Short mmCIF file of all heavy atoms in Angstrom, two decimals:
data_model
loop_
_atom_site.label_atom_id
_atom_site.label_comp_id
_atom_site.label_asym_id
_atom_site.label_seq_id
_atom_site.Cartn_x
_atom_site.Cartn_y
_atom_site.Cartn_z
N PRO W 11 -3.15 35.05 3.56
CA PRO W 11 -3.48 36.46 3.82
C PRO W 11 -2.27 37.37 3.70
O PRO W 11 -1.12 36.94 3.91
CB PRO W 11 -4.01 36.42 5.26
CG PRO W 11 -4.51 35.02 5.45
CD PRO W 11 -3.60 34.16 4.64
N GLN W 12 -2.50 38.60 3.36
CA GLN W 12 -1.42 39.54 3.11
C GLN W 12 -0.56 39.78 4.35
O GLN W 12 0.62 40.09 4.25
CB GLN W 12 -2.00 40.87 2.61
CG GLN W 12 -0.95 41.85 2.11
CD GLN W 12 -1.59 43.09 1.51
OE1 GLN W 12 -2.81 43.23 1.53
NE2 GLN W 12 -0.77 43.98 0.97
N GLU W 13 -1.15 39.61 5.52
CA GLU W 13 -0.41 39.86 6.76
C GLU W 13 0.60 38.76 7.07
O GLU W 13 1.46 38.94 7.94
CB GLU W 13 -1.39 39.97 7.92
CG GLU W 13 -2.19 38.69 8.13
CD GLU W 13 -3.37 38.88 9.06
OE1 GLU W 13 -4.28 39.66 8.71
OE2 GLU W 13 -3.36 38.26 10.13
N PHE W 14 0.55 37.64 6.36
CA PHE W 14 1.48 36.54 6.62
C PHE W 14 2.87 36.92 6.13
O PHE W 14 3.04 37.43 5.02
CB PHE W 14 1.02 35.27 5.90
CG PHE W 14 0.03 34.46 6.68
CD1 PHE W 14 -0.80 35.04 7.62
CD2 PHE W 14 -0.07 33.09 6.49
CE1 PHE W 14 -1.72 34.30 8.33
CE2 PHE W 14 -0.99 32.33 7.19
CZ PHE W 14 -1.82 32.94 8.12
N THR W 15 3.87 36.65 6.96
CA THR W 15 5.25 36.85 6.54
C THR W 15 5.69 35.66 5.69
O THR W 15 4.97 34.68 5.53
CB THR W 15 6.17 36.99 7.77
OG1 THR W 15 6.11 35.77 8.53
CG2 THR W 15 5.73 38.16 8.65
N HIS W 16 6.91 35.76 5.15
CA HIS W 16 7.42 34.68 4.31
C HIS W 16 7.56 33.38 5.09
O HIS W 16 7.25 32.30 4.57
CB HIS W 16 8.77 35.09 3.72
CG HIS W 16 9.38 34.03 2.85
ND1 HIS W 16 8.85 33.67 1.62
CD2 HIS W 16 10.48 33.23 3.04
CE1 HIS W 16 9.59 32.71 1.09
NE2 HIS W 16 10.58 32.42 1.93
N SER W 17 8.02 33.47 6.32
CA SER W 17 8.16 32.26 7.14
C SER W 17 6.80 31.66 7.46
O SER W 17 6.64 30.43 7.49
CB SER W 17 8.91 32.59 8.43
OG SER W 17 8.22 33.59 9.18
N TRP W 18 5.78 32.50 7.69
CA TRP W 18 4.43 31.99 7.92
C TRP W 18 3.91 31.28 6.67
O TRP W 18 3.24 30.25 6.76
CB TRP W 18 3.50 33.15 8.28
CG TRP W 18 3.64 33.63 9.69
CD1 TRP W 18 4.71 33.48 10.52
CD2 TRP W 18 2.65 34.36 10.42
NE1 TRP W 18 4.48 34.07 11.72
CE2 TRP W 18 3.22 34.62 11.71
CE3 TRP W 18 1.38 34.84 10.14
CZ2 TRP W 18 2.53 35.32 12.69
CZ3 TRP W 18 0.69 35.54 11.12
CH2 TRP W 18 1.26 35.77 12.39
N GLU W 19 4.20 31.86 5.53
CA GLU W 19 3.74 31.24 4.28
C GLU W 19 4.38 29.87 4.08
O GLU W 19 3.70 28.90 3.70
CB GLU W 19 4.07 32.15 3.10
CG GLU W 19 3.62 31.60 1.75
CD GLU W 19 3.97 32.52 0.61
OE1 GLU W 19 4.47 33.63 0.86
OE2 GLU W 19 3.74 32.11 -0.55
N GLU W 20 5.67 29.76 4.32
CA GLU W 20 6.35 28.48 4.17
C GLU W 20 5.81 27.46 5.18
O GLU W 20 5.62 26.29 4.85
CB GLU W 20 7.85 28.65 4.35
CG GLU W 20 8.54 29.37 3.19
CD GLU W 20 10.05 29.34 3.33
OE1 GLU W 20 10.53 29.00 4.44
OE2 GLU W 20 10.73 29.63 2.34
N TYR W 21 5.56 27.92 6.39
CA TYR W 21 5.00 27.02 7.41
C TYR W 21 3.62 26.53 6.98
O TYR W 21 3.30 25.34 7.11
CB TYR W 21 4.92 27.75 8.75
CG TYR W 21 4.13 27.01 9.79
CD1 TYR W 21 4.68 25.93 10.47
CD2 TYR W 21 2.81 27.37 10.08
CE1 TYR W 21 3.95 25.24 11.43
CE2 TYR W 21 2.07 26.69 11.03
CZ TYR W 21 2.65 25.62 11.70
OH TYR W 21 1.92 24.94 12.64
N SER W 22 2.80 27.42 6.46
CA SER W 22 1.45 27.05 6.02
C SER W 22 1.51 26.05 4.88
O SER W 22 0.74 25.07 4.85
CB SER W 22 0.67 28.29 5.60
OG SER W 22 0.55 29.21 6.67
N GLU W 23 2.41 26.26 3.94
CA GLU W 23 2.52 25.34 2.81
C GLU W 23 2.97 23.95 3.26
O GLU W 23 2.43 22.94 2.80
CB GLU W 23 3.50 25.91 1.78
CG GLU W 23 2.96 27.14 1.06
CD GLU W 23 3.99 27.81 0.18
OE1 GLU W 23 5.18 27.44 0.28
OE2 GLU W 23 3.61 28.70 -0.59
N ASN W 24 3.95 23.90 4.15
CA ASN W 24 4.41 22.61 4.65
C ASN W 24 3.32 21.90 5.45
O ASN W 24 3.12 20.69 5.33
CB ASN W 24 5.65 22.79 5.52
CG ASN W 24 6.85 23.26 4.73
OD1 ASN W 24 6.97 22.96 3.54
ND2 ASN W 24 7.75 23.99 5.37
N LEU W 25 2.60 22.66 6.27
CA LEU W 25 1.53 22.08 7.08
C LEU W 25 0.40 21.55 6.20
O LEU W 25 -0.10 20.44 6.41
CB LEU W 25 1.00 23.12 8.06
CG LEU W 25 -0.12 22.66 8.99
CD1 LEU W 25 0.37 21.54 9.91
CD2 LEU W 25 -0.66 23.82 9.81
N CYS W 26 0.00 22.34 5.22
CA CYS W 26 -1.10 21.91 4.34
C CYS W 26 -0.70 20.70 3.50
O CYS W 26 -1.54 19.84 3.21
CB CYS W 26 -1.52 23.06 3.43
SG CYS W 26 -2.32 24.43 4.30
N TRP W 27 0.55 20.64 3.10
CA TRP W 27 1.01 19.49 2.31
C TRP W 27 1.00 18.21 3.13
O TRP W 27 0.70 17.13 2.62
CB TRP W 27 2.41 19.77 1.78
CG TRP W 27 2.99 18.65 0.96
CD1 TRP W 27 4.02 17.84 1.31
CD2 TRP W 27 2.58 18.24 -0.34
NE1 TRP W 27 4.29 16.94 0.31
CE2 TRP W 27 3.41 17.16 -0.72
CE3 TRP W 27 1.59 18.67 -1.23
CZ2 TRP W 27 3.28 16.51 -1.94
CZ3 TRP W 27 1.46 18.01 -2.45
CH2 TRP W 27 2.30 16.96 -2.79
N VAL W 28 1.27 18.33 4.42
CA VAL W 28 1.32 17.15 5.29
C VAL W 28 -0.07 16.74 5.76
O VAL W 28 -0.42 15.55 5.75
CB VAL W 28 2.24 17.42 6.50
CG1 VAL W 28 2.15 16.29 7.51
CG2 VAL W 28 3.68 17.60 6.04
N GLN W 29 -0.90 17.69 6.16
CA GLN W 29 -2.19 17.35 6.77
C GLN W 29 -3.34 17.25 5.77
O GLN W 29 -4.48 17.02 6.16
CB GLN W 29 -2.55 18.38 7.84
CG GLN W 29 -3.01 19.73 7.28
CD GLN W 29 -3.53 20.65 8.37
OE1 GLN W 29 -3.43 20.34 9.55
NE2 GLN W 29 -4.08 21.79 7.97
N ASN W 30 -3.06 17.41 4.49
CA ASN W 30 -4.05 17.30 3.41
C ASN W 30 -4.90 18.57 3.28
O ASN W 30 -5.07 19.33 4.24
CB ASN W 30 -4.98 16.10 3.60
CG ASN W 30 -4.22 14.80 3.68
OD1 ASN W 30 -3.16 14.66 3.08
ND2 ASN W 30 -4.75 13.84 4.42
N THR W 31 -5.42 18.76 2.10
CA THR W 31 -6.30 19.89 1.81
C THR W 31 -7.69 19.35 1.46
O THR W 31 -7.89 18.14 1.37
CB THR W 31 -5.74 20.71 0.63
OG1 THR W 31 -5.61 19.85 -0.52
CG2 THR W 31 -4.38 21.29 0.97
N TYR W 32 -8.64 20.24 1.25
CA TYR W 32 -9.99 19.81 0.91
C TYR W 32 -10.52 20.65 -0.24
O TYR W 32 -10.11 21.78 -0.46
CB TYR W 32 -10.93 19.87 2.12
CG TYR W 32 -10.97 21.21 2.83
CD1 TYR W 32 -11.86 22.21 2.44
CD2 TYR W 32 -10.12 21.47 3.90
CE1 TYR W 32 -11.91 23.42 3.09
CE2 TYR W 32 -10.15 22.69 4.56
CZ TYR W 32 -11.05 23.66 4.15
OH TYR W 32 -11.09 24.88 4.80
N PHE W 33 -11.45 20.04 -0.97
CA PHE W 33 -12.02 20.69 -2.16
C PHE W 33 -13.40 21.24 -1.85
O PHE W 33 -14.21 20.60 -1.17
CB PHE W 33 -12.12 19.69 -3.31
CG PHE W 33 -12.86 20.22 -4.50
CD1 PHE W 33 -12.26 21.12 -5.36
CD2 PHE W 33 -14.18 19.83 -4.74
CE1 PHE W 33 -12.95 21.62 -6.46
CE2 PHE W 33 -14.87 20.32 -5.83
CZ PHE W 33 -14.26 21.22 -6.69
N LEU W 34 -13.65 22.44 -2.35
CA LEU W 34 -14.96 23.07 -2.23
C LEU W 34 -15.39 23.56 -3.61
O LEU W 34 -14.62 24.22 -4.31
CB LEU W 34 -14.92 24.25 -1.26
CG LEU W 34 -14.63 23.96 0.21
CD1 LEU W 34 -14.51 25.26 0.99
CD2 LEU W 34 -15.72 23.08 0.81
N ALA W 35 -16.60 23.20 -3.99
CA ALA W 35 -17.15 23.72 -5.25
C ALA W 35 -17.48 25.20 -5.07
O ALA W 35 -17.51 25.72 -3.95
CB ALA W 35 -18.39 22.93 -5.65
N ALA W 36 -17.74 25.88 -6.18
CA ALA W 36 -17.96 27.33 -6.15
C ALA W 36 -19.05 27.76 -5.18
O ALA W 36 -18.86 28.72 -4.42
CB ALA W 36 -18.25 27.83 -7.56
N PRO W 37 -20.22 27.11 -5.14
CA PRO W 37 -21.27 27.62 -4.25
C PRO W 37 -21.11 27.21 -2.79
O PRO W 37 -21.85 27.70 -1.93
CB PRO W 37 -22.54 26.99 -4.84
CG PRO W 37 -22.08 25.74 -5.50
CD PRO W 37 -20.70 26.02 -6.00
N GLU W 38 -20.17 26.33 -2.47
CA GLU W 38 -20.04 25.85 -1.11
C GLU W 38 -19.32 26.87 -0.24
O GLU W 38 -18.30 27.43 -0.65
CB GLU W 38 -19.28 24.52 -1.07
CG GLU W 38 -19.98 23.38 -1.78
CD GLU W 38 -19.20 22.08 -1.66
OE1 GLU W 38 -19.18 21.50 -0.56
OE2 GLU W 38 -18.59 21.67 -2.66
N PRO W 39 -19.81 27.12 0.97
CA PRO W 39 -19.14 28.08 1.86
C PRO W 39 -17.90 27.45 2.50
O PRO W 39 -17.79 26.23 2.64
CB PRO W 39 -20.22 28.37 2.91
CG PRO W 39 -21.04 27.12 2.95
CD PRO W 39 -21.06 26.59 1.55
#
Side-chain angles (χ1 to χ4, degrees):
Q12 189 175 4
E13 62 193 63
F14 274 26
T15 62
H16 179 69
S17 59
W18 283 22
E19 180 180 355
E20 288 188 346
Y21 169 78
S22 300
E23 291 173 350
N24 293 331
L25 180 64
C26 292
W27 179 250
V28 172
Q29 74 173 7
N30 302 329
T31 58
Y32 53 89
F33 172 76
L34 294 175
E38 296 182 73

